[in-house]
Amino acid sequence: EKEKEKEKEKEKEEEEKEEDQSQVDKAKMDDFILTLQTCQSRDLIDKAAVDFCELNTKLNRRRLARGLFAVPRTQLSLLPYYARLCAVLAPAMPDLPEMLAGMLEKEFADFMRYKSESNLETKVRNVRFQGELLKFKLTKPLAVFTCLQSCIDDFAYQNIELACNLLEVCGRFLHRSKLTHERTKNMLSTMLRLKSVKNLDSRLDTMLENAYYLCCPPERSARSVRKVRSAVQEYVRHLLFVRLSKQTLETVKKQLRKLDWKEHEGYIIKCLLKIHKCKYNQVYLFASLISGLNRYHNNLAIHLADDLLSEMRHLLHANEFSKQQRLLSLAKLLGELYNDLVVDSVVIFDALYTLLSSGTDKTGPMPDPPGDLFRVRVVCTLLDTCGHYFDRGTSKKRLDLFLAHLQRYLLLKEHLSMDVEFTISDTLEALRPDHKRLQTVEAAEA
């Protein structure tokens, strides 16, 4: 009773001092507390801490503590920033976090004493605020453990939600700290035992599991080990994927020629086919590089073209969405190789017909499902790259036949999306501007 009387006397003295404070200072402090509700970033709250230093008095610190304590219960997103404000000011004003922590502890003790089923949002705000202060080491872990133990002692309904909210905020911090690890671990195991014994509804059950795994996340599988490559292999990758540009093309070619081709030819071809690792507008540089190297290594073009076509057939057969960009890049490279006279037109037309006739794992002998239009994009990519060279002689006749075959393929599709329709129109207009599109399957087969 004597302590209560002393507290009342102190409060009266504080009120008398506040009354003596000038109206201008009060207005400035009130405006400052109102602006705190808009400080939802680190920069803004740090600036607010600097601004408060100009208003720093014992009365204003007490008013600030009360203002922080009275944070709206629906604006929980402010709590981390308010705790940061206290942490920034704490070295110069240690009484500020002490007053705030004392208010929160007293309020929580009142909640536990009266055990009211109302004001859940206010209780949640209280425990989350204490958790945020703990992470900035502005309050002692004992205070948080006291709150958590009080919830465990009466493990039902609102207390379960309060315990879960407290663990969500600072549970992992407590579990990872050396001084509090064991006690946190014991409390978590106690909560799991109570959860298994009590017949809780699914919502509370899920909240407890989430809180537990936030504190003790399950072990993840080890990351894939990085491939071990020799120094020469790393150098080849550096030349192709980093150094290669329009200005350094000749330099890269000279450096690759210096390597032992009997030993490293296979790896160089493998890297050249990883065309999807470079920028799309640099594919022509790979083709120019291959053309330049082919003058000194006659078997390079044969081996590379064979591996490229084999890779394209494999990707068509697998029909995986994640590898579609790779297939587009290979088609672009094949067209650029024709432009640089590395492969002839026979290879190009064989690839075009393969794209529209090869089956997949899912469709069997059929090329692709009726609604799948990706192969059309690949064909258009290849034709846009090198099709303009098929404008005379037998290559022109072969392209006309293929374009009829392509239009027959399109007519058998259920529906063409708008972007595919535009892609087809652009390709046909570029290759055969005077020809009209065929409208029936019979006309395409004629």
mmCIF file of all heavy atoms in Angstrom, residues 413-446:
data_model
loop_
_atom_site.group_PDB
_atom_site.id
_atom_site.type_symbol
_atom_site.label_atom_id
_atom_site.label_comp_id
_atom_site.label_asym_id
_atom_site.label_seq_id
_atom_site.Cartn_x
_atom_site.Cartn_y
_atom_site.Cartn_z
ATOM 1 N N LYS A 413 -4.364 -27.167 -85.883
ATOM 2 C CA LYS A 413 -4.406 -26.745 -84.490
ATOM 3 C C LYS A 413 -5.804 -26.251 -84.127
ATOM 4 O O LYS A 413 -6.549 -25.747 -84.962
ATOM 5 C CB LYS A 413 -3.390 -25.616 -84.242
ATOM 6 C CG LYS A 413 -1.933 -26.070 -84.301
ATOM 7 C CD LYS A 413 -1.607 -26.968 -83.133
ATOM 8 C CE LYS A 413 -0.158 -27.387 -83.115
ATOM 9 N NZ LYS A 413 0.153 -28.276 -81.998
ATOM 10 N N GLU A 414 -6.134 -26.404 -82.844
ATOM 11 C CA GLU A 414 -7.458 -25.994 -82.390
ATOM 12 C C GLU A 414 -7.634 -24.478 -82.455
ATOM 13 O O GLU A 414 -8.650 -23.979 -82.917
ATOM 14 C CB GLU A 414 -7.673 -26.466 -80.949
ATOM 15 C CG GLU A 414 -7.752 -27.972 -80.808
ATOM 16 C CD GLU A 414 -7.940 -28.393 -79.368
ATOM 17 O OE1 GLU A 414 -7.792 -27.529 -78.478
ATOM 18 O OE2 GLU A 414 -8.232 -29.574 -79.127
ATOM 19 N N HIS A 415 -6.629 -23.763 -81.962
ATOM 20 C CA HIS A 415 -6.753 -22.303 -81.890
ATOM 21 C C HIS A 415 -5.362 -21.704 -81.850
ATOM 22 O O HIS A 415 -4.466 -22.223 -81.176
ATOM 23 C CB HIS A 415 -7.541 -21.899 -80.637
ATOM 24 C CG HIS A 415 -7.586 -20.422 -80.409
ATOM 25 N ND1 HIS A 415 -8.301 -19.561 -81.219
ATOM 26 C CD2 HIS A 415 -6.988 -19.647 -79.466
ATOM 27 C CE1 HIS A 415 -8.143 -18.329 -80.774
ATOM 28 N NE2 HIS A 415 -7.356 -18.347 -79.722
ATOM 29 N N LEU A 416 -5.172 -20.606 -82.557
ATOM 30 C CA LEU A 416 -3.901 -19.893 -82.538
ATOM 31 C C LEU A 416 -4.044 -18.643 -81.680
ATOM 32 O O LEU A 416 -4.961 -17.841 -81.889
ATOM 33 C CB LEU A 416 -3.482 -19.482 -83.957
ATOM 34 C CG LEU A 416 -3.207 -20.608 -84.959
ATOM 35 C CD1 LEU A 416 -2.772 -20.024 -86.295
ATOM 36 C CD2 LEU A 416 -2.143 -21.554 -84.439
ATOM 37 N N SER A 417 -3.160 -18.505 -80.715
ATOM 38 C CA SER A 417 -3.199 -17.312 -79.868
ATOM 39 C C SER A 417 -2.791 -16.092 -80.691
ATOM 40 O O SER A 417 -2.191 -16.207 -81.762
ATOM 41 C CB SER A 417 -2.271 -17.484 -78.669
ATOM 42 O OG SER A 417 -0.939 -17.683 -79.094
ATOM 43 N N MET A 418 -3.096 -14.912 -80.171
ATOM 44 C CA MET A 418 -2.850 -13.682 -80.900
ATOM 45 C C MET A 418 -1.367 -13.473 -81.188
ATOM 46 O O MET A 418 -0.981 -13.097 -82.301
ATOM 47 C CB MET A 418 -3.402 -12.491 -80.104
ATOM 48 C CG MET A 418 -3.405 -11.184 -80.867
ATOM 49 S SD MET A 418 -4.587 -11.194 -82.237
ATOM 50 C CE MET A 418 -6.136 -11.192 -81.337
ATOM 51 N N ASP A 419 -0.507 -13.737 -80.192
ATOM 52 C CA ASP A 419 0.919 -13.499 -80.403
ATOM 53 C C ASP A 419 1.503 -14.459 -81.431
ATOM 54 O O ASP A 419 2.347 -14.074 -82.252
ATOM 55 C CB ASP A 419 1.677 -13.603 -79.081
ATOM 56 C CG ASP A 419 1.485 -14.943 -78.410
ATOM 57 O OD1 ASP A 419 0.436 -15.579 -78.640
ATOM 58 O OD2 ASP A 419 2.379 -15.374 -77.659
ATOM 59 N N VAL A 420 1.049 -15.729 -81.421
ATOM 60 C CA VAL A 420 1.519 -16.698 -82.412
ATOM 61 C C VAL A 420 1.030 -16.309 -83.802
ATOM 62 O O VAL A 420 1.763 -16.434 -84.797
ATOM 63 C CB VAL A 420 1.060 -18.120 -82.039
ATOM 64 C CG1 VAL A 420 1.377 -19.111 -83.160
ATOM 65 C CG2 VAL A 420 1.717 -18.569 -80.750
ATOM 66 N N GLU A 421 -0.196 -15.825 -83.886
ATOM 67 C CA GLU A 421 -0.746 -15.391 -85.169
ATOM 68 C C GLU A 421 0.089 -14.259 -85.766
ATOM 69 O O GLU A 421 0.425 -14.264 -86.958
ATOM 70 C CB GLU A 421 -2.191 -14.936 -84.971
ATOM 71 C CG GLU A 421 -2.935 -14.623 -86.260
ATOM 72 C CD GLU A 421 -3.208 -15.852 -87.101
ATOM 73 O OE1 GLU A 421 -3.595 -16.883 -86.532
ATOM 74 O OE2 GLU A 421 -3.007 -15.761 -88.338
ATOM 75 N N PHE A 422 0.465 -13.323 -84.933
ATOM 76 C CA PHE A 422 1.300 -12.215 -85.410
ATOM 77 C C PHE A 422 2.692 -12.696 -85.801
ATOM 78 O O PHE A 422 3.272 -12.220 -86.782
ATOM 79 C CB PHE A 422 1.413 -11.138 -84.329
ATOM 80 C CG PHE A 422 0.167 -10.312 -84.168
ATOM 81 C CD1 PHE A 422 -0.248 -9.889 -82.914
ATOM 82 C CD2 PHE A 422 -0.594 -9.950 -85.270
ATOM 83 C CE1 PHE A 422 -1.394 -9.132 -82.764
ATOM 84 C CE2 PHE A 422 -1.737 -9.194 -85.132
ATOM 85 C CZ PHE A 422 -2.140 -8.783 -83.869
ATOM 86 N N THR A 423 3.239 -13.627 -85.029
ATOM 87 C CA THR A 423 4.568 -14.164 -85.345
ATOM 88 C C THR A 423 4.563 -14.856 -86.701
ATOM 89 O O THR A 423 5.470 -14.657 -87.529
ATOM 90 C CB THR A 423 5.016 -15.147 -84.248
ATOM 91 O OG1 THR A 423 5.016 -14.491 -82.983
ATOM 92 C CG2 THR A 423 6.411 -15.691 -84.532
ATOM 93 N N ILE A 424 3.543 -15.674 -86.934
ATOM 94 C CA ILE A 424 3.426 -16.377 -88.221
ATOM 95 C C ILE A 424 3.268 -15.381 -89.366
ATOM 96 O O ILE A 424 3.914 -15.496 -90.425
ATOM 97 C CB ILE A 424 2.229 -17.352 -88.181
ATOM 98 C CG1 ILE A 424 2.541 -18.529 -87.265
ATOM 99 C CG2 ILE A 424 1.880 -17.853 -89.573
ATOM 100 C CD1 ILE A 424 3.616 -19.447 -87.782
ATOM 101 N N SER A 425 2.409 -14.389 -89.166
ATOM 102 C CA SER A 425 2.173 -13.400 -90.226
ATOM 103 C C SER A 425 3.452 -12.647 -90.571
ATOM 104 O O SER A 425 3.767 -12.439 -91.752
ATOM 105 C CB SER A 425 1.085 -12.420 -89.790
ATOM 106 O OG SER A 425 -0.137 -13.091 -89.557
ATOM 107 N N ASP A 426 4.220 -12.257 -89.554
ATOM 108 C CA ASP A 426 5.471 -11.540 -89.792
ATOM 109 C C ASP A 426 6.478 -12.402 -90.536
ATOM 110 O O ASP A 426 7.162 -11.932 -91.457
ATOM 111 C CB ASP A 426 6.072 -11.074 -88.469
ATOM 112 C CG ASP A 426 5.230 -10.004 -87.792
ATOM 113 O OD1 ASP A 426 4.391 -9.398 -88.487
ATOM 114 O OD2 ASP A 426 5.405 -9.791 -86.580
ATOM 115 N N THR A 427 6.568 -13.687 -90.153
ATOM 116 C CA THR A 427 7.527 -14.583 -90.802
ATOM 117 C C THR A 427 7.156 -14.815 -92.265
ATOM 118 O O THR A 427 8.018 -14.721 -93.161
ATOM 119 C CB THR A 427 7.583 -15.926 -90.058
ATOM 120 O OG1 THR A 427 7.959 -15.698 -88.695
ATOM 121 C CG2 THR A 427 8.580 -16.875 -90.705
ATOM 122 N N LEU A 428 5.888 -15.107 -92.523
ATOM 123 C CA LEU A 428 5.460 -15.366 -93.904
ATOM 124 C C LEU A 428 5.580 -14.114 -94.772
ATOM 125 O O LEU A 428 5.944 -14.190 -95.954
ATOM 126 C CB LEU A 428 4.018 -15.873 -93.921
ATOM 127 C CG LEU A 428 3.791 -17.248 -93.282
ATOM 128 C CD1 LEU A 428 2.313 -17.607 -93.308
ATOM 129 C CD2 LEU A 428 4.588 -18.323 -94.015
ATOM 130 N N GLU A 429 5.282 -12.961 -94.184
ATOM 131 C CA GLU A 429 5.383 -11.730 -94.958
ATOM 132 C C GLU A 429 6.832 -11.416 -95.296
ATOM 133 O O GLU A 429 7.131 -10.904 -96.385
ATOM 134 C CB GLU A 429 4.767 -10.579 -94.161
ATOM 135 C CG GLU A 429 4.732 -9.272 -94.943
ATOM 136 C CD GLU A 429 4.057 -8.158 -94.164
ATOM 137 O OE1 GLU A 429 3.548 -8.441 -93.054
ATOM 138 O OE2 GLU A 429 4.048 -7.014 -94.660
ATOM 139 N N ALA A 430 7.743 -11.729 -94.383
ATOM 140 C CA ALA A 430 9.167 -11.467 -94.654
ATOM 141 C C ALA A 430 9.721 -12.417 -95.709
ATOM 142 O O ALA A 430 10.556 -12.020 -96.534
ATOM 143 C CB ALA A 430 9.962 -11.591 -93.357
ATOM 144 N N LEU A 431 9.261 -13.682 -95.709
ATOM 145 C CA LEU A 431 9.804 -14.674 -96.640
ATOM 146 C C LEU A 431 9.102 -14.637 -97.992
ATOM 147 O O LEU A 431 9.752 -14.715 -99.044
ATOM 148 C CB LEU A 431 9.692 -16.079 -96.025
ATOM 149 C CG LEU A 431 10.485 -16.309 -94.739
ATOM 150 C CD1 LEU A 431 10.216 -17.708 -94.198
ATOM 151 C CD2 LEU A 431 11.975 -16.123 -94.985
ATOM 152 N N ARG A 432 7.782 -14.554 -97.972
ATOM 153 C CA ARG A 432 7.001 -14.582 -99.218
ATOM 154 C C ARG A 432 5.940 -13.501 -99.148
ATOM 155 O O ARG A 432 4.754 -13.766 -98.906
ATOM 156 C CB ARG A 432 6.345 -15.967 -99.411
ATOM 157 C CG ARG A 432 7.330 -17.105 -99.573
ATOM 158 C CD ARG A 432 8.110 -16.993 -100.892
ATOM 159 N NE ARG A 432 8.986 -18.136 -101.094
ATOM 160 C CZ ARG A 432 10.269 -18.165 -100.744
ATOM 161 N NH1 ARG A 432 10.807 -17.109 -100.139
ATOM 162 N NH2 ARG A 432 11.018 -19.225 -100.977
ATOM 163 N N PRO A 433 6.301 -12.250 -99.362
ATOM 164 C CA PRO A 433 5.327 -11.154 -99.210
ATOM 165 C C PRO A 433 4.190 -11.199 -100.216
ATOM 166 O O PRO A 433 3.111 -10.662 -99.954
ATOM 167 C CB PRO A 433 6.188 -9.890 -99.398
ATOM 168 C CG PRO A 433 7.398 -10.356 -100.148
ATOM 169 C CD PRO A 433 7.638 -11.763 -99.730
ATOM 170 N N ASP A 434 4.394 -11.853 -101.369
ATOM 171 C CA ASP A 434 3.350 -11.867 -102.399
ATOM 172 C C ASP A 434 2.382 -13.029 -102.245
ATOM 173 O O ASP A 434 1.341 -13.060 -102.928
ATOM 174 C CB ASP A 434 3.994 -11.935 -103.791
ATOM 175 C CG ASP A 434 4.881 -10.725 -104.061
ATOM 176 O OD1 ASP A 434 4.585 -9.659 -103.491
ATOM 177 O OD2 ASP A 434 5.867 -10.858 -104.814
ATOM 178 N N HIS A 435 2.716 -13.999 -101.423
ATOM 179 C CA HIS A 435 1.862 -15.181 -101.283
ATOM 180 C C HIS A 435 0.787 -14.940 -100.236
ATOM 181 O O HIS A 435 1.022 -14.296 -99.217
ATOM 182 C CB HIS A 435 2.701 -16.393 -100.881
ATOM 183 C CG HIS A 435 3.603 -16.866 -101.993
ATOM 184 N ND1 HIS A 435 4.247 -18.077 -101.975
ATOM 185 C CD2 HIS A 435 3.958 -16.284 -103.174
ATOM 186 C CE1 HIS A 435 4.970 -18.210 -103.079
ATOM 187 N NE2 HIS A 435 4.803 -17.130 -103.819
ATOM 188 N N LYS A 436 -0.391 -15.507 -100.503
ATOM 189 C CA LYS A 436 -1.480 -15.446 -99.540
ATOM 190 C C LYS A 436 -1.491 -16.716 -98.692
ATOM 191 O O LYS A 436 -1.112 -17.789 -99.150
ATOM 192 C CB LYS A 436 -2.829 -15.311 -100.264
ATOM 193 C CG LYS A 436 -2.993 -13.984 -100.999
ATOM 194 C CD LYS A 436 -4.380 -13.889 -101.625
ATOM 195 C CE LYS A 436 -4.558 -12.551 -102.337
ATOM 196 N NZ LYS A 436 -5.906 -12.453 -102.959
ATOM 197 N N ARG A 437 -1.964 -16.577 -97.483
ATOM 198 C CA ARG A 437 -2.004 -17.740 -96.586
ATOM 199 C C ARG A 437 -3.079 -18.713 -97.031
ATOM 200 O O ARG A 437 -4.172 -18.307 -97.472
ATOM 201 C CB ARG A 437 -2.267 -17.300 -95.142
ATOM 202 C CG ARG A 437 -1.061 -16.671 -94.476
ATOM 203 C CD ARG A 437 -1.304 -16.403 -93.011
ATOM 204 N NE ARG A 437 -1.598 -17.614 -92.269
ATOM 205 C CZ ARG A 437 -1.734 -17.659 -90.947
ATOM 206 N NH1 ARG A 437 -1.604 -16.532 -90.245
ATOM 207 N NH2 ARG A 437 -2.004 -18.794 -90.329
ATOM 208 N N LEU A 438 -2.785 -19.984 -96.923
ATOM 209 C CA LEU A 438 -3.740 -21.036 -97.278
ATOM 210 C C LEU A 438 -4.794 -21.148 -96.200
ATOM 211 O O LEU A 438 -4.507 -21.060 -95.011
ATOM 212 C CB LEU A 438 -2.999 -22.363 -97.459
ATOM 213 C CG LEU A 438 -1.855 -22.341 -98.495
ATOM 214 C CD1 LEU A 438 -1.139 -23.676 -98.523
ATOM 215 C CD2 LEU A 438 -2.408 -22.009 -99.877
ATOM 216 N N GLN A 439 -6.043 -21.381 -96.611
ATOM 217 C CA GLN A 439 -7.164 -21.356 -95.684
ATOM 218 C C GLN A 439 -7.698 -22.737 -95.347
ATOM 219 O O GLN A 439 -8.436 -22.890 -94.370
ATOM 220 C CB GLN A 439 -8.306 -20.508 -96.272
ATOM 221 C CG GLN A 439 -7.900 -19.074 -96.574
ATOM 222 C CD GLN A 439 -7.453 -18.319 -95.333
ATOM 223 O OE1 GLN A 439 -8.016 -18.513 -94.255
ATOM 224 N NE2 GLN A 439 -6.438 -17.465 -95.496
ATOM 225 N N THR A 440 -7.331 -23.770 -96.144
ATOM 226 C CA THR A 440 -7.855 -25.121 -95.891
ATOM 227 C C THR A 440 -6.714 -26.126 -95.926
ATOM 228 O O THR A 440 -5.654 -25.881 -96.507
ATOM 229 C CB THR A 440 -8.896 -25.515 -96.954
ATOM 230 O OG1 THR A 440 -8.261 -25.536 -98.247
ATOM 231 C CG2 THR A 440 -10.058 -24.543 -96.960
ATOM 232 N N VAL A 441 -6.967 -27.260 -95.291
ATOM 233 C CA VAL A 441 -5.967 -28.337 -95.254
ATOM 234 C C VAL A 441 -5.794 -28.912 -96.661
ATOM 235 O O VAL A 441 -4.674 -29.265 -97.082
ATOM 236 C CB VAL A 441 -6.415 -29.448 -94.269
ATOM 237 C CG1 VAL A 441 -5.424 -30.631 -94.325
ATOM 238 C CG2 VAL A 441 -6.541 -28.893 -92.868
ATOM 239 N N GLU A 442 -6.884 -29.011 -97.455
ATOM 240 C CA GLU A 442 -6.797 -29.546 -98.801
ATOM 241 C C GLU A 442 -5.900 -28.685 -99.696
ATOM 242 O O GLU A 442 -5.103 -29.200 -100.495
ATOM 243 C CB GLU A 442 -8.198 -29.647 -99.431
ATOM 244 C CG GLU A 442 -9.104 -30.702 -98.796
ATOM 245 C CD GLU A 442 -9.647 -30.274 -97.458
ATOM 246 O OE1 GLU A 442 -9.511 -29.075 -97.105
ATOM 247 O OE2 GLU A 442 -10.199 -31.150 -96.743
ATOM 248 N N ALA A 443 -5.999 -27.363 -99.548
ATOM 249 C CA ALA A 443 -5.149 -26.483 -100.337
ATOM 250 C C ALA A 443 -3.686 -26.636 -99.967
ATOM 251 O O ALA A 443 -2.798 -26.566 -100.804
ATOM 252 C CB ALA A 443 -5.583 -25.033 -100.131
ATOM 253 N N ALA A 444 -3.413 -26.884 -98.664
ATOM 254 C CA ALA A 444 -2.034 -27.065 -98.212
ATOM 255 C C ALA A 444 -1.460 -28.378 -98.715
ATOM 256 O O ALA A 444 -0.267 -28.502 -98.980
ATOM 257 C CB ALA A 444 -1.973 -27.005 -96.699
ATOM 258 N N GLU A 445 -2.326 -29.428 -98.848
ATOM 259 C CA GLU A 445 -1.855 -30.735 -99.284
ATOM 260 C C GLU A 445 -1.753 -30.839 -100.806
ATOM 261 O O GLU A 445 -1.198 -31.795 -101.320
ATOM 262 C CB GLU A 445 -2.786 -31.807 -98.758
ATOM 263 C CG GLU A 445 -2.727 -31.964 -97.234
ATOM 264 C CD GLU A 445 -3.732 -32.989 -96.748
ATOM 265 O OE1 GLU A 445 -4.640 -33.348 -97.564
ATOM 266 O OE2 GLU A 445 -3.636 -33.438 -95.591
ATOM 267 N N ALA A 446 -2.336 -29.849 -101.494
ATOM 268 C CA ALA A 446 -2.345 -29.923 -102.995
ATOM 269 C C ALA A 446 -0.950 -29.764 -103.565
ATOM 270 O O ALA A 446 -0.101 -29.098 -102.999
ATOM 271 C CB ALA A 446 -3.264 -28.833 -103.499
#
